Amino acid sequence: MQELKSVYSKEELRDNAVELLKKLIEIPSFSKDEYNTSVEIENFFKKHQIPTKRFKNNIWAVNKNFDVFKPSILLNTHHDTVKPNKAYTLDPFVPIEKDEKLFGLGSNDAGASLVSMAQVFLHFYEKENLQYNLIIALTAEEEISGFDGIEALFPQLPNIELAIVGEPTQMNLAIAEKGLLVIDGEMKGTPSHAAHPNDDNSIVKCMEDLQNILNFRFPKVSEYLGEVKITLSRIHAGVQHNVVPESCTFTLDVRVTDEYSNKEAFEIIQSQMKSTLTARSFRLNSSKIEIDHPFVQAGLAIGRTTYGSPTSSDQAIIPCTSVKLGPGDSRRSHTADEFIFIEEIAEGIEIYIKILEKVL
């Protein structure tokens, strides 16, 4: 077993990260089936003589000089992936390094964040007299917003004052993130033969109701996230051409800003519609960190920018102040032949360290 070094060069941290990411790409880790990648993560920390703890498929560790009387900063990202889509031209489980890129499933979302955070934790692990403890948690089920990932682990962690959530943000600070509210609706009508008049056609009534809500504008607009966005993503009615169905069902995908809780948004939408609505869950709320927070100010001081993110992450279920920050570009997430630039990993490690040095 190699000895833990107190100082690693930028090149060593980058090479460590790329080596780990290649190993993770080779291991399928679909949501709820992440055990093998969790073992690989454990092996990485074991190699560097860092004790880890496990809860289900979630692996976490604390810095060597952890002090129970100090607050903690959490480094968190996920090691599960979506399944590869049919448009892949490369083997998603074979890491290919080409044109300064590393190709492979999960390389961008969120493998690059994971391996970068692992090196950052290594960098700070033995440091003394920090103002905060540093904790790393590499967790499961993010891609399905599952219950056995960070949400299950969080109550077991020490006092967390700030969570840094690793997702592809081009190493700019996503200081606000939209929540997700999925609503199933049903409009009832009177079934009948299509040949006869029917003024209570469920499809026609549903179309009118949906057009009304799609034209609706929430009165409060978020500074960073803009308007609440309502998208009609599914509609179904009828089984044959000559029968007017008794009901028309649909699904609304609602991206909620920090101006509203999910429950508030649901109540407003219901007040504007005649259909019967049911929310699948209220748990994936929006999040926001204040611009004057020391971590945000530290990021701005080294030239990073801030923005509001339309995509959801585990921030939605982390019950403390959080910010989303990581290497890569979210527009590459879930695409065919996913990749990360090697330089993005190196830059990610460097920027994480620079910001944390100003805070820790």
Side-chain angles (χ1 to χ4, degrees), residues 209-354:
D209 210 23
L210 288 171
Q211 194 60 60
N212 178 56
I213 196 60
L214 294 176
N215 289 334
F216 177 76
R217 293 292 178 267
F218 279 74
K220 292 188 286 187
V221 178
S222 167
E223 178 182 2
Y224 284 97
L225 298 171
E227 296 184 337
V228 174
K229 185 177 185 295
I230 302 176
T231 301
L232 173 65
S233 56
R234 189 190 70 87
I235 188 167
H236 176 77
V239 292
Q240 61 190 67
H241 75 90
N242 59 350
V243 177
V244 176
E246 66 177 17
S247 74
C248 181
T249 62
F250 57 91
T251 300
L252 298 174
D253 177 295
V254 185
R255 303 293 166 149
V256 184
T257 73
D258 55 295
E259 293 291 340
Y260 299 93
S261 70
N262 282 356
K263 286 187 177 180
E264 288 172 334
F266 177 83
E267 289 169 359
I268 291 171
I269 292 170
Q270 181 66 91
S271 73
Q272 300 296 314
M273 299 187 72
K274 297 176 181 178
S275 300
T276 300
L277 305 182
T278 304
R280 294 185 185 179
S281 169
F282 292 111
R283 59 193 279 263
L284 303 178
N285 283 284
S286 61
S287 62
K288 179 182 178 181
I289 185 172
E290 297 300 330
I291 192 73
D292 59 357
H293 190 282
F295 187 88
V296 177
Q297 288 298 306
L300 293 173
I302 64 167
R304 309 319 296 170
T305 60
T306 61
Y307 73 103
S309 173
T311 59
S312 60
S313 72
D314 271 343
Q315 272 191 284
I317 49 179
I318 290 178
C320 72
T321 300
S322 62
V323 60
K324 189 160 65 177
L325 176 68
D329 188 333
S330 67
R331 290 171 293 186
R332 294 184 216 137
S333 300
H334 306 176
T335 61
D337 299 337
E338 183 181 351
F339 69 88
I340 188 76
F341 285 98
I342 301 297
E343 181 55 33
E344 288 178 314
I345 296 174
E347 179 189 52
I349 297 168
E350 182 179 5
I351 291 173
Y352 277 138
I353 289 175
K354 283 184 175 179

Side-chain angles (χ1 to χ4, degrees), residues 8 13 22 63 65 111 146 156 161 230 243 245 256 265 286 311 332:
Y8 290 80
L13 292 175
K22 287 180 177 179
N63 59 302
N65 297 299
Q156 302 183 39
E161 188 166 295
I230 302 176
V243 177
V256 184
S286 61
T311 59
R332 294 184 216 137

Side-chain angles (χ1 to χ4, degrees), residues 2 8 11-27 40-41 43-44 47-48 95 97 102 111-112 114-116 118-119 122 340 342 345 349:
Q2 73 177 56
Y8 290 80
E11 292 73 21
E12 286 176 311
L13 292 175
R14 178 200 62 206
D15 293 347
N16 281 345
V18 172
E19 179 186 2
L20 177 58
L21 183 52
K22 287 180 177 179
K23 291 179 180 178
L24 293 174
I25 288 170
E26 291 175 342
I27 304 170
E40 189 62 47
I41 291 165
N43 289 339
F44 168 82
K47 175 182 176 181
H48 294 284
E97 204 171 331
L102 178 58
L114 188 153
V115 298
S116 298
Q119 307 314 310
L122 202 64
I340 188 76
I342 301 297
I345 296 174
I349 297 168

